[in-house]
Amino acid sequence: MDKGVLATALGSPAPFGQSQFAFMRGNAFEAKVKADGGAELLRLLYERLGGGAEAPAGDAATPDLSAAGPEGRAARTALALREATAAGGWALLDHPMLALEVAGSPAYLEPDAVVVHPDGRWTVVEIKSFPMIDASADPSKVGAAARQAAVYVLALERVAAVTEGAEVGHRVLLVCPKDFSNLPTASVVDVRKQRAVTRRQLTRLTRVEDIAAALPEGTTFDPACPPAELDAAVAAVPPAYAPECLAACELAFHCRARSRAEGAVETLGRSVRGELGGLTTVAGVLAAAAGKEGDPADPTVAALRRAAALRAEALESAEVLRAGTRDSASVPRAGAPEGAAACR
């Protein structure tokens, strides 16, 4: 089920999306990077991650990865990776299809490119349209690209595990426009940390079968259902909303509304949720800060009460200062007619 269709049926469509101009600009830049058999892309990769191998010439392999359906494309990609590794030369796989098990079901992934090195190393290439200005890009966008590439690395490792002589590199190549031009430049991003975090998260995901088994009998997510019935069906699956969802999930606005209605602290961000420990609602946090609830021995409760005391002290000091300013303004200046201070 498409989440965008479901969100629209629930009355919470996501009023955002990539503009056609940005989409076309990104496609044009990617085509430029991959032109002439990926000559520019391979040049950038060799400069940053070439190692001791010879520079890729114009004869780098570019295998055909076309096949029927995502399963067929994933199988064709795995075969191409094995053949390229056995050949011992440079190979560029344009938009390969990878498979990764997520919560017990296969998820199909399509990185921009994967390069096979002569020594059997596989490198993920991410091509983005945001610029690198003075060899530096927006940290938040680089972080998002690193998390995305880490998922590709995990999927590639499954294929490498059954391919003799293959090794997946944990440093990926990020290709972006240079400064304010359309010329490509690149940097190397180490994704070992993101890979480890993603791997832990994947192991903790509840299997789809387990989620389905916990749903009430007859639950359906058909958008044609009455809104009340559809809303009840979605409510049967506990949301895990965080502000980051707004950039990636069409149901984020619906889940945010539910989260706010329940007063969940997740609406303030995952980092805030982590700091608050066992306090899961905004009302509970305010009550703990006011001394109405919570164990004083709990470090989180103690920190909240200390913060509330400091806030009250700051507000009291500000009020004293304002009162002093008003009193001084009402005192007539020496030699001034009576009532002049009030008229100023």
Side-chain angles (χ1 to χ4, degrees):
M1 169 56 61
D2 184 88
K3 290 190 288 185
V5 175
L6 188 58
T8 302
L10 288 166
S12 302
F16 60 83
Q18 189 176 34
S19 70
Q20 286 300 310
F21 174 75
F23 188 72
M24 293 172 61
R25 181 183 61 186
N27 282 346
F29 178 68
E30 181 175 339
K32 181 182 181 68
V33 172
K34 293 179 178 178
D36 300 324
E40 181 65 10
L41 189 156
L42 290 169
R43 182 190 68 80
L44 290 169
L45 184 136
Y46 182 75
E47 286 181 356
R48 276 107 178 136
L49 292 168
E54 292 185 5
D59 57 350
T62 54
D64 180 14
L65 303 178
S66 58
E71 275 189 62
R73 288 186 59 200
R76 181 68 190 91
T77 295
L79 178 61
L81 286 167
R82 286 193 289 269
E83 290 175 345
T85 303
W90 290 97
L92 171 63
L93 279 67
D94 185 9
H95 284 288
M97 182 66 72
L98 307 174
L100 182 66
E101 185 176 302
V102 178
S105 299
Y108 293 98
L109 315 167
E110 189 176 359
D112 293 325
V114 172
V115 175
V116 178
H117 298 240
D119 61 0
R121 186 159 35 104
W122 301 349
T123 296
V124 172
V125 178
E126 273 296 285
I127 302 173
K128 298 297 184 184
S129 59
F130 57 80
M132 283 188 189
I133 301 174
D134 293 333
S136 180
D138 185 333
S140 63
K141 293 180 179 180
V142 173
R147 290 189 293 273
Q148 183 178 357
V151 179
Y152 300 147
V153 168
L154 284 172
L156 276 174
E157 287 178 341
R158 298 183 63 193
V159 184
V162 293
T163 303
E164 185 178 354
E167 178 188 3
V168 182
H170 293 154
R171 296 195 297 165
V172 305
L173 188 74
L174 177 63
V175 182
C176 298
K178 182 178 181 181
D179 297 327
F180 300 100
S181 71
N182 200 38
L183 299 174
T185 187
S187 67
V188 175
V189 181
D190 192 320
V191 299
R192 282 177 293 184
K193 179 179 178 181
Q194 291 83 355
R195 171 190 168 277
V197 170
T198 303
R199 189 165 190 171
R200 285 197 303 271
Q201 290 174 338
L202 287 174
T203 60
R204 295 172 182 172
L205 288 178
T206 306
R207 296 176 64 86
V208 174
E209 295 86 348
D210 297 334
I211 295 175
L215 295 176
E217 188 175 352
T219 298
T220 178
F221 298 99
D222 186 352
C225 292
E229 183 179 337
L230 188 60
D231 187 68
V234 174
V237 182
Y241 171 77
E244 295 87 346
C245 297
L246 293 171
C249 180
E250 292 89 342
L251 278 171
F253 287 88
H254 178 76
C255 294
R256 183 179 67 174
R258 286 179 56 190
S259 187
R260 285 177 172 175
E262 295 169 0
V265 296
E266 282 83 359
T267 57
L268 304 175
R270 288 194 176 98
S271 59
V272 176
R273 174 68 186 88
E275 292 288 340
L276 292 174
L279 300 173
T280 59
T281 65
V282 174
V285 171
L286 295 176
K292 298 177 182 178
E293 295 181 10
D295 181 3
D298 185 335
T300 302
V301 174
L304 286 170
R305 292 182 181 178
R306 174 61 178 161
L310 290 173
R311 178 179 181 275
E313 183 179 332
L315 290 175
E316 184 179 350
S317 299
E319 182 58 34
V320 170
L321 288 173
R322 282 196 296 269
T325 302
R326 287 195 299 268
D327 291 344
S328 62
S330 64
V331 177
R333 290 174 297 173
E338 187 175 349
C343 295
R344 282 189 293 124

